Amino acid sequence: MALDPSTLAVSLGRGDRGPGSPMDVPPVLSSTFVAGGQYVYGRDGNPTWEPFEEVVGALEGGAAVAFASGLAAISAVIESLPAGAVVVLPAGAYTGTRRLVADLATRGRVTGRLVDLTDTAATLAAVEGAALLWLESPSNPLLEIADVPALAEGAKERGALVAMDNTFSTPLLQRPLDLGVQVVVHSATKLLSGHSDVVMGVAVARDEALVQSLRSRRSLHGGIPGPVETFLALRGLRTLPIRLERAQATAADLARRLAGHAKVEKVRYPGFATVVSFDVEGGAASADAVCAAVRLIVPATSLGGVETMVERRGKVAGEEHLPPGLIRMSVGLEHADDLWADLEQALGR
Ligand SMILES: *Cc1c(COP(=O)(O)O)cnc(C)c1O
């Protein structure tokens, strides 16, 4: 019988279970290894990576390759494309992904085509002649939903590789490889590690050649995760299922309460996951005032930590197209009533 993801998150990646062996594989702080064994040099492999990769791989249903950051994992996918390749990506993709493709395009490395991912037909028309379709659903921070199976199938028919950023959902809510996607990436900085103390990324694929290519990119470009970061990310990953369950319940509760608040014009919540975006009356000035007035909630960029965070995304460079009064809230593990009391007092200012 297949084990439940919550069991896999706890039980895999333990290494040797012989008498006297440590419960957790310790971080191996070594840049090189005595010749003749499995490990040679620290940029090519470190024994701390595998336990983390084993757990993420089992949850996503593929082979995982850990990276120094989410963007290092995204870069590895894009760097696997030939020179001049066309990349189709959502106009609502994570800012860093859009900026990376735009930067590469200025030097002719790739050509970016921005699409509205909620329009399946238009997206597939743009995939004609493209090497890669990049998916992100729900999107950050508008939380729009794409028809992933239809897009993956259509892109495959047109000969494009299909990649998906699954940071917002985690493999517990959505397994892109089961939906026809070929490579999944995560900012492990967010929900996977979950404690706002690590910057890390991971890519997962089933195709052996693709997995080998990702490992090569990691060694050649050097975007490797540190052993201590990897240890911490796995430590956080053990509790992902229970953190997600709690944060999701609180997010749904707050989304409902926000929808009934007089100062809130619009609530964006797809009904799952842990980010709620909401537009306040009065635009940028009002949203900035709310973010400055919260006491318990932390005004900070990033998401997926145990702490609830808010940010007016329109103030971020490259995000000026967003509604000015939009606040992105990443819901953490504080009690819903305490969070609501803080939001009410901040909205009441
Ligand atoms: C944060 C984030 C990234 C980038 O990850 P880093 O770990 O910061 O490099 C990519 N995609 C999404 C959806 C993110 O939220």
Side-chain angles (χ1 to χ4, degrees):
M1 193 189 75
L3 295 173
D4 187 80
S6 59
T7 305
L8 297 176
V10 170
S11 62
L12 293 181
R14 293 291 181 188
D16 174 24
R17 286 183 72 146
S21 57
M23 182 68 85
D24 292 294
V25 177
V28 177
L29 297 168
S30 195
S31 62
T32 191
F33 301 87
V34 178
Q38 183 189 348
Y39 300 98
V40 180
Y41 182 61
R43 183 160 33 72
D44 300 314
N46 180 299
T48 320
W49 297 349
E50 274 116 35
F52 172 79
E53 290 173 341
E54 187 181 322
V55 177
V56 177
L59 294 177
E60 282 288 11
V65 184
F67 284 91
S69 67
L71 261 175
I74 294 166
S75 296
V77 174
I78 294 174
E79 284 297 342
S80 70
L81 303 175
V86 173
V87 176
V88 175
L89 72 162
Y94 169 70
T95 349
T97 309
R98 268 188 289 123
R99 288 168 72 181
L100 171 67
V101 171
D103 177 78
L104 292 170
T106 61
R107 278 168 287 116
R109 174 66 185 82
V110 298
T111 299
R113 271 184 206 159
L114 294 177
V115 292
D116 171 3
L117 221 51
T118 63
D119 187 338
T120 302
T123 299
L124 289 178
V127 171
E128 290 297 344
L132 173 67
L133 171 61
W134 190 268
L135 302 177
E136 198 181 314
S137 173
S139 66
N140 176 8
L142 293 173
L143 303 162
E144 291 176 329
I145 302 292
D147 185 346
V148 176
L151 288 168
E153 193 187 331
K156 213 173 293 171
E157 278 164 12
R158 289 163 177 81
L161 180 72
V162 185
M164 182 154 178
D165 187 331
N166 202 29
T167 301
F168 269 46
S169 299
T170 85
L172 301 174
L173 301 179
Q174 171 170 268
R175 297 217 318 173
L177 299 179
D178 291 343
L179 304 176
V181 168
Q182 285 140 302
V183 53
V184 182
V185 300
H186 282 276
S187 170
T189 311
K190 315 292 169 55
L191 282 154
L192 295 189
S193 67
H195 294 72
S196 307
D197 52 6
V198 167
V199 173
M200 235 183 96
V202 62
V204 192
R206 284 182 184 157
D207 179 70
E208 187 52 35
L210 194 49
V211 174
Q212 279 311 328
S213 167
L214 292 166
R215 290 201 183 110
S216 296
R217 265 358 86 203
R218 178 172 66 184
S219 285
L220 292 170
H221 296 274
I224 60 163
V228 174
E229 280 78 359
T230 314
F231 177 86
L232 285 172
L234 177 53
R235 188 188 207 273
L237 191 52
R238 301 288 187 205
T239 56
L240 170 67
I242 194 125
R243 283 187 286 107
L244 189 67
E245 196 178 310
R246 161 77 176 221
Q248 267 206 116
T250 308
D253 183 24
L254 294 178
R256 189 180 46 77
R257 296 203 218 188
L258 281 166
H261 196 285
K263 299 257 175 77
V264 175
E265 284 179 344
K266 183 170 181 148
V267 177
R268 302 160 195 271
Y269 183 63
F272 64 97
T274 62
V275 174
V276 178
S277 292
F278 57 99
D279 302 12
V280 295
E281 223 171 55
S286 223
D288 281 335
V290 170
C291 293
V294 287
R295 296 185 194 128
L296 176 66
I297 297 170
V298 187
T301 197
S302 197
L303 54 99
V306 295
E307 320 77 7
T308 298
M309 295 176 241
V310 287
E311 182 176 42
R312 186 173 81 76
R313 284 302 288 174
K315 75 173 168 49
V316 175
E319 298 278 75
E320 297 84 359
H321 60 286
L322 292 172
L326 183 147
I327 294 172
R328 184 185 71 190
M329 177 169 65
S330 166
V331 177
L333 306 186
E334 306 91 336
H335 197 281
D337 292 343
D338 295 329
L339 291 170
W340 179 244
D342 195 25
L343 281 171
E344 266 200 313
Q345 69 79 22
L347 285 163
R349 294 284 177 101

